[in-house]
Amino acid sequence: MASNRIENIAIVGAAGWSGKHIVSAIQKNGNQKITAITRQDSTAQIPPGLAVKKVDYDDHSALISALRGQDALIITMGARAGPTQQTKLIEAAAAAEVPWILPNEFGNDNANETLRKDVMINAHKT
């Protein structure tokens, strides 16, 4: 982070249900550079004005490289994403020294074991 504000933001799910609205709100501010992190085989229509980094989510070093230099990572991947995908992103962001990580949590009660099992990406959380 080069100043007292977040300037470089990476977002996973930039074209998704939540992500597109987050991207739009950040773009209205106009002070941040946004990078969409997406799967190599993704056909999602990334909003205009974003840098795009296509990566293999199973390649830890590729994720680190894609996240290096970011001030924040916003994760808005869909509920059908594999249960370990968010963890892989968070671990790579930590290795890339991304200071702020906003994970997929959207009000889920992860203290409730039954609810955790009901939402695939939360099933492995404690």
Side-chain angles (χ1 to χ4, degrees):
M1 201 157 38
S3 68
N4 66 350
R5 67 179 186 272
I6 292 174
E7 296 177 351
N8 299 301
I9 300 171
I11 183 165
V12 175
W17 290 103
S18 299
K20 64 185 174 187
H21 298 291
I22 293 170
V23 166
S24 177
I26 295 169
Q27 286 179 319
K28 285 179 185 172
N29 185 23
N31 295 324
Q32 288 80 23
K33 178 183 174 192
I34 307 169
T35 300
I37 306 292
T38 187
R39 294 181 320 275
Q40 289 176 329
D41 62 348
S42 174
T43 58
Q45 297 297 312
I46 303 299
L50 276 63
V52 178
K53 293 191 179 179
K54 292 191 172 213
V55 297
D56 176 353
Y57 286 5
D58 293 321
D59 183 343
H60 186 67
S61 61
L63 283 172
I64 293 169
S65 178
L67 293 168
R68 198 166 310 280
Q70 298 296 325
D71 300 320
L73 169 62
I74 301 171
I75 304 170
T76 65
M77 64 178 53
R80 288 184 264 166
T84 62
Q85 292 306 313
Q86 180 172 247
T87 301
K88 290 176 184 179
L89 287 163
I90 292 169
E91 288 172 351
E97 299 181 358
V98 177
W100 296 96
I101 302 170
L102 291 79
N104 253 14
E105 295 301 328
F106 305 117
N108 297 320
D109 181 3
N110 288 328
N112 182 319
E113 185 176 347
T114 303
L115 289 177
R116 275 198 323 266
K117 289 178 182 176
D118 200 32
V119 180
M120 189 182 335
I121 64 170
N122 293 336
H124 71 287
K125 297 178 182 180
T126 55

